[in-house]
Amino acid sequence: MNHISKFILIACTIVCFLIGPYSAKADAVSDWNARACELAVSPNFDTPTANRMLAIMHTAIYEAANAITKKYPSSDLKIDAPAGASVDAAIAAAARTTLLKLIPAKEQQIEVAYQTSLSKIADGKAKTDGIAVGEKVAVAVMGARIEDGFATVETYRPYTIAGVYVPTFLPIVSHWPQRKPWLMTSPRQFRPGPPPDLKSELWTRDYNEIRAIGRKNKSTRTTEQTDIARFWEATGPAIYHGLVRGVADQPGRELTQNARLLMAVTQAIDDAMIAVFDAKYHYNFWRPITAIRNGDIDGNDATERDASWTPFINTPMHPEYPCAHCIVSGTVGTVLQSEIGNARMPVLATTSPTADNSKRTWMKMEDFMQEVANGRIYDGVHFRTSTEVGTAMGRQIGKLAAEKYLQLSRR
């Protein structure tokens, strides 16, 4: 047995052990979502890029599944599928083909996941036809997104004057405002008004609140608030997709319906990232650590400078306004609420890698969205107005996705 074969054998065993209990209740859509979220974790894989990857993969998964089941009207791709083709094989092939193109460095892990999926499907024409459908759809979806602006060269210009040092880390995805949305008419469609005027009472409120509760040391945070802050320090896709899978795995749901839900969620999240970074780089508003260490230059006597203030967590490398975490929570919450409709709300739950994989649960969607907003204030990285504006933007984008896709789920 050669080295690669040994690796695949060992890795398949590990994968089966890790996902066995989860797969017992999940379908192929949820399985691939969980695997892709794991693959998206990397020091060199920022959250916006990971969200784009998931949107492309889940669009391909849905199109492949629907081409076979024909549960919903066909899209512009108009992919023909042979009768009897395996839906699970098509999903696996669509996922594999997109992921290999988007994250080639994870080829071995992708191949292990692919072979694990195929091993559950009986050999034969149905399996072969399903693979062919999935591969064809993936190529078509990738082709449709190849010029979405992702490859645009970033040209961020640090603000300075000649000869004066500024920190030399460049902010992330400054080219995101040039990307092509999935659902919005333009990146500016939901651009909000400006952040608070620095001489206003609103700014005074935001400044003094986060100065007290968001600081690393001698904060006014309670133990519970600190736990929330640590939980929402995580920004990767996995923390939100745990909630989505919790809905997808409810009894009585159908495979193509779940594929449609994951496509709607991931496209909406990717659009939310485009919208929020359009606003962030348009307004270029300072983060709390910058504002509080310069409280004496904002023209407001009620905002006292704190020369040594630091936030509870490291500040993300992009402008403050609006809150990106909040736009995503608003988006996800709105899409899920629309999908659930008047049905009984399942217990919402997810885990966080920045909180020792602990689990938090919510009984109401509003409670989940508000906790995310509060968490970023407790973290010391976002002002309250920014969280409110971000959540409102997310609701608008989530509504777009629901109007385009999810009404079909109830037919």
Side-chain angles (χ1 to χ4, degrees), residues 334-387:
T334 301
V335 173
L336 292 183
Q337 185 65 69
S338 178
E339 177 73 349
I340 295 164
N342 295 323
R344 184 173 181 269
M345 175 72 69
V347 176
L348 303 165
T350 192
T351 60
S352 170
T354 55
D356 297 323
N357 291 316
S358 62
K359 179 189 288 187
R360 292 189 66 82
T361 60
W362 306 269
M363 300 302 295
K364 298 178 181 179
M365 204 70 74
E366 290 294 330
D367 293 343
F368 149 69
M369 290 188 280
Q370 187 59 59
E371 181 177 297
V372 174
N374 288 338
R376 299 310 271 172
I377 298 168
Y378 304 154
D379 279 328
V381 297
H382 277 296
F383 300 107
R384 184 164 297 279
T385 296
S386 181
T387 69

Side-chain angles (χ1 to χ4, degrees), residues 207 211 286-297 304-311:
Y207 181 103
R211 180 170 176 259
W286 54 4
R287 288 280 185 171
I289 188 171
T290 309
I292 294 170
R293 290 190 174 212
N294 288 282
D296 57 337
I297 66 169
E304 183 180 348
R305 178 179 185 243
D306 189 334
S308 62
W309 190 92
T310 55

Side-chain angles (χ1 to χ4, degrees), residues 2 7 98 148 163 212 275 318 331 360 362:
N2 61 33
F7 172 83
T98 51
D148 70 350
H318 46 81
T331 297
R360 292 189 66 82
W362 306 269

Side-chain angles (χ1 to χ4, degrees), residues 22 29-42 45-47 50-51 53-55 57-58 61 95 99 103 106 110 113 235-245 262 265-266 269 350-351 353:
Y22 176 75
V29 175
S30 291
D31 280 344
W32 274 103
N33 176 266
R35 293 168 186 176
C37 285
E38 292 169 0
L39 292 170
V41 177
S42 169
F45 212 112
D46 60 70
T47 296
N51 285 323
M53 177 200 78
L54 283 160
M57 184 195 78
H58 275 294
I61 283 176
L99 292 177
I103 43 174
K106 301 290 184 76
I110 294 167
T235 61
I239 198 167
Y240 288 105
H241 285 266
L243 287 147
V244 182
R245 290 195 300 272
L262 265 296
V265 168
T266 53
I269 291 175
T350 192
T351 60

Side-chain angles (χ1 to χ4, degrees), residues 1 5 21 25 35 57 77 89 101 104-105 138 158 160-161 178 182 190 215-216 323-324 338 347 357:
M1 183 181 291
S5 297
K25 64 178 181 179
R35 293 168 186 176
M57 184 195 78
L77 294 180
K101 184 70 173 179
T160 186
I161 59 175
Q178 280 73 56
W182 298 85
F190 298 113
R215 67 187 311 134
K216 187 171 186 177
C323 166
S338 178
V347 176
N357 291 316

